[in-house]
Amino acid sequence: MGAENLELFHQLLRRFEIPLLQYATRIIGDRERARDVVQETFAKLQRKSGKQLALNSAKWLFTVCRNRALNVCRKERRMAYLDDNVLACRADEELSPREKVEEGEARGFLLEIVATLPLRQQEVLQLKFQDGLSYEEISEIANLSVSNVGFLIHTALRTLRSCFARKAEDFIPFTSRKI
Amino acid sequence: MNCDDPNLTAYALGELSEEEKLRLEKVLEASPQSQHLVAETRELAALLRGEFAAELSKCGRQSNIVHRRRSASLWWDSQWMSIRIAALVAIAAVIATLVICGLTLKRKYSKPTLAHSQASSGEQDMAMELPKENAVEGQALEATADLNERERLSSGSNPGFMSAAAFPEATFGLSVDTSAYGRIRELIYAGKRPPEATVRIEGMINYFEYAYPAPAGVRPFSISTEATICPWNSDHRLVRIGLKGRDADNSIVAENVKVEVRFNASSIESYRLLGYDDLAGGQASKAASGGAKMRSHQSVTALYEVIPVPNAPAPSGAGVASVTAIYKSPGKEQTNVEESKLPSLGGKLEDASGDLRFATAVAEFGMILRGDIAAGEIGAVIEEAECARTIDAARAEFVQVAKEARRLWF
């Protein structure tokens, strides 16, 4: 890899490693496996030529990562969500005590609710609000139509909004602007 | 209109095409309920982004531990040792520099080294958090000497705020280094998060030009004051003070200028100057140096965050604050005084001048970058700045910088 490409590769690594890890963990349900998937994803990126590196990196990375993650699900028969209708079924995988603490620490109030949503919605929420991708990009990564993506986000936000409203008194995360 | 419409959500999140947007806006006009929903959705989106971002940075710290254990890939392994050494050397160099110079942190922060070592095999202190931790460490070293002084000065429950009753006079420096903004901008465009020490809020604010009135008659400079509600804490207010030198041919307009800001303790409980490394208002050096020169066309803007006295009576003729500048005309012996009063603590941000709103957005952006306030506010910052986008190219660019920062980290 030339020096310029190496620099670009580093940038992409810095920028996307953690978001991809989050994404893969959400799909697979196992952080260790997710790490493998992300490593493989970047290994594949390394093999790309210079010109290809710059193009559509975010979309490419998330797509590759997602495909690998789904492969892991299929191979290990984790029924995560190969099908829209199948509910999250990661019962086999018990979180280790340390991971349980990590999960608890990391989550804000809204994210606790997000974790209870159907996995498809979780995936799309992360891509939109953590990774800043557009409906269009998400549709290509997750193999959905744009209106599907819109519907998933709309439904998820509706759920969040109603839970939020119910718990309004307990909820003082930031001092929001009063207009 | 049907409120349970995914198109409304798409609109709120900026996902509709131009024509779809226009079409929807026509319908929205007639439906306050839908408008309310759109606003709620955007707020929710901002909160979500904030929480996701926080999760991301916590995740960064945790995942790194396992990277060390596994280090499956040769590539990561080979970077490992050299990164650690580079980081340790960088940290040692920074500390040594600070101890020797005892100056405010500048570019010595060796951003290239830090960025290089950020190549994220993800050592715990190598994650995005590193610059912040170092900055805090460095500033802590520098500020230790000042710490007791600051503790003494700051009003009890609000660290960094000075009590107006105990210390009614404040001052700020006239010449501000505005190069910080350029550095921040370059870092953001390069995808690197600016370390706390680089985010000089006073430098960012003063980078932009504001439409202060020209001084009247033979006066060498004008003083402007304005106040509004503080966007990141609606109990607080922001006070903007601007000085603008006269347009003159000769570059020397006033000398030995000392600016004194007096906060009326019956209206204002405490105050803090934004920027200047939050050291007691930059008082020490500037006041001691016997005043600065004001050049023609030069302007300087200072932003104070103030905590009003709760339930205070309406301000008297003396106003809530006054700004006095003592100076000498060049070549003359006589000392002159220029003064300006701030009559009240202002109202809503929408009612403030465009310049104040923009300066506030810049300050808020700086504080978000430093992690002083919640990242969820960045949407509001960008919105505010967009209003000013057409004023000059610099402001338009600020909007881009802020958007990029949001895309990267918020």
Side-chain angles (χ1 to χ4, degrees):
Chain A
M1 225 188 214
E4 222 176 57
N5 289 340
L6 194 61
E7 175 59 29
L8 184 56
F9 179 84
H10 278 258
Q11 281 180 21
L12 290 172
L13 188 63
R14 269 199 300 277
R15 165 84 181 88
F16 290 111
E17 190 198 1
I18 309 291
L20 284 171
L21 186 57
Q22 286 291 89
Y23 186 58
T25 307
R26 225 178 265 281
I27 296 177
I28 301 176
D30 179 318
R31 215 174 192 76
E32 298 294 311
R33 296 282 181 287
R35 261 185 257 279
D36 287 335
V37 163
V38 173
Q39 280 200 21
E40 286 160 25
T41 304
F42 279 106
K44 194 163 180 209
L45 180 73
Q46 252 186 312
R47 293 196 282 274
K48 277 179 108 183
S49 82
K51 264 174 273 176
Q52 293 179 301
L53 257 187
L55 298 170
N56 293 323
S57 321
K59 219 167 30 169
W60 186 90
L61 284 169
F62 277 98
T63 309
V64 169
C65 181
R66 182 178 195 272
N67 290 334
R68 298 206 110 89
L70 287 180
N71 277 340
V72 169
C73 281
R74 262 181 233 118
K75 265 196 278 183
E76 307 195 4
R77 295 203 208 103
R78 297 156 186 276
M79 302 277 284
Y81 62 90
L82 297 179
D83 188 320
D84 238 334
N85 299 323
V86 173
L87 293 176
C89 183
R90 301 196 286 231
D92 298 27
E93 198 54 39
E94 264 288 313
L95 286 178
S96 77
R98 186 171 67 86
E99 280 178 297
K100 279 206 181 101
V101 172
E102 280 179 18
E103 301 277 4
E105 270 180 36
R107 290 219 193 106
F109 161 73
L110 283 176
L111 293 191
E112 268 176 37
I113 306 174
V114 169
T116 65
L117 296 174
L119 276 184
R120 271 264 200 250
Q121 289 181 25
Q122 289 192 40
E123 176 188 3
V124 161
L125 281 179
Q126 180 188 327
L127 290 174
K128 180 89 194 104
F129 296 107
Q130 188 174 72
D131 306 312
L133 299 167
S134 69
Y135 277 19
E136 172 122 21
E137 288 168 323
I138 297 173
S139 77
E140 294 188 36
I141 292 171
N143 227 0
L144 298 163
S145 71
V146 173
S147 59
N148 253 343
V149 173
F151 181 76
L152 285 168
I153 291 187
H154 172 78
T155 311
L157 288 183
R158 192 179 56 201
T159 311
L160 286 172
R161 198 180 296 119
S162 63
C163 293
F164 181 99
R166 253 183 278 134
K167 273 191 116 185
E169 311 93 65
D170 306 354
F171 180 46
I172 320 165
F174 318 122
T175 312
S176 56
R177 292 180 73 164
K178 295 194 185 115
I179 298 183
Chain B
M1 82 173 288
N2 174 24
C3 276
D4 193 19
D5 183 353
N7 276 324
L8 268 184
T9 303
Y11 169 75
L13 300 178
E15 287 284 347
L16 293 183
S17 70
E18 268 309 307
E19 33 171 302
E20 289 171 320
K21 208 171 88 158
L22 290 172
R23 234 182 303 143
L24 192 71
E25 275 168 353
K26 286 210 182 75
V27 182
L28 267 184
E29 266 173 33
S31 171
Q33 200 191 0
S34 302
Q35 292 171 27
H36 180 68
L37 195 64
V38 166
E40 260 190 7
T41 303
R42 288 183 177 148
E43 262 209 51
L44 191 56
L47 287 172
L48 258 182
R49 282 193 198 107
E51 286 199 16
F52 268 123
E55 183 189 57
L56 209 58
S57 61
K58 283 196 176 113
C59 178
R61 281 201 295 276
Q62 290 155 2
S63 72
N64 305 319
I65 301 170
V66 186
H67 263 151
R68 259 158 76 182
R69 250 194 317 125
R70 294 172 60 84
S71 49
S73 149
L74 266 182
W75 179 84
W76 268 301
D77 266 346
S78 66
Q79 299 292 322
W80 187 245
M81 230 15 199
S82 50
I83 289 171
R84 275 194 92 171
I85 292 174
L88 286 173
V89 168
I91 293 171
V94 165
I95 293 178
T97 308
L98 289 169
V99 167
I100 291 171
C101 304
L103 283 174
T104 332
L105 292 167
K106 298 214 172 150
R107 254 175 289 177
K108 288 196 176 125
Y109 238 118
S110 69
K111 284 183 288 297
T113 312
L114 282 178
H116 179 73
S117 61
Q118 252 181 315
S120 71
S121 74
E123 157 78 270
Q124 175 158 6
D125 43 318
M126 219 64 54
M128 296 257 248
E129 302 292 303
L130 173 60
K132 192 164 195 257
E133 281 169 351
N134 266 341
V136 171
E137 198 179 303
Q139 280 193 322
L141 270 177
E142 179 194 338
T144 324
D146 289 320
L147 187 60
N148 296 332
E149 185 69 12
R150 268 200 302 156
E151 299 265 69
R152 191 174 67 79
L153 292 175
S154 68
S155 69
S157 51
N158 289 295
F161 281 85
M162 316 236 321
S163 151
F167 302 93
E169 293 149 25
T171 189
F172 55 88
L174 284 189
S175 63
V176 177
D177 178 7
T178 62
S179 61
Y181 176 78
R183 286 200 290 279
I184 293 168
R185 179 184 53 203
E186 297 321 308
L187 282 174
I188 290 178
Y189 280 157
K192 301 178 184 131
R193 180 140 181 186
E196 197 177 302
T198 311
V199 183
R200 305 290 299 266
I201 292 183
E202 83 280 2
M204 292 166 73
I205 293 173
N206 279 282
Y207 175 88
F208 301 92
E209 283 186 33
Y210 303 99
Y212 291 125
V218 294
R219 291 199 170 93
F221 54 85
S222 68
I223 304 179
S224 310
T225 60
E226 194 185 355
T228 187
I229 291 183
C230 176
W232 59 84
N233 187 335
S234 54
D235 292 329
H236 294 188
R237 298 289 181 274
L238 287 180
V239 172
R240 175 178 70 135
I241 298 170
L243 272 72
K244 172 132 179 92
R246 189 174 69 205
D247 296 357
D249 298 320
N250 49 347
S251 90
I252 301 171
V253 167
E255 288 175 357
N256 291 11
V257 185
K258 288 181 205 138
V259 179
E260 188 183 275
V261 183
R262 276 189 152 266
F263 291 102
N264 190 336
S266 18
S267 308
I268 292 178
E269 194 179 85
S270 57
Y271 60 88
R272 72 167 171 167
L273 180 59
L274 294 186
Y276 298 96
D277 279 337
D278 301 320
L279 291 176
Q283 313 236 32
S285 44
K286 291 309 167 191
S289 71
K293 285 198 177 68
M294 167 81 69
R295 295 184 160 56
S296 69
H297 302 104
Q298 181 185 356
S299 74
V300 63
T301 303
L303 210 54
Y304 283 90
E305 187 181 348
V306 309
I307 304 181
V309 170
N311 306 319
S316 63
V320 300
S322 71
V323 183
T324 314
I326 307 170
Y327 67 93
K328 283 197 178 60
S329 283
K332 300 212 172 89
E333 273 307 311
Q334 182 194 13
T335 303
N336 300 314
V337 174
E338 195 66 39
E339 202 184 345
S340 176
K341 285 200 181 48
L342 179 67
S344 78
L345 282 177
K348 295 191 226 160
L349 194 56
E350 302 98 70
D351 299 337
S353 74
D355 274 353
L356 175 52
R357 291 167 67 175
F358 184 76
T360 300
V362 173
E364 207 176 353
F365 179 64
M367 293 177 76
I368 292 174
L369 277 181
R370 289 167 64 104
D372 288 341
I373 61 178
E377 299 293 305
I378 189 125
V381 166
I382 290 176
E383 253 182 63
E384 198 58 66
E386 295 241 39
C387 297
R389 194 173 24 146
T390 48
I391 293 190
D392 59 25
R395 293 183 197 217
E397 189 188 37
F398 172 76
V399 174
Q400 296 312 311
V401 173
K403 280 182 171 164
E404 183 64 11
R406 173 175 66 178
R407 191 185 70 82
L408 287 170
W409 306 300
F410 308 119

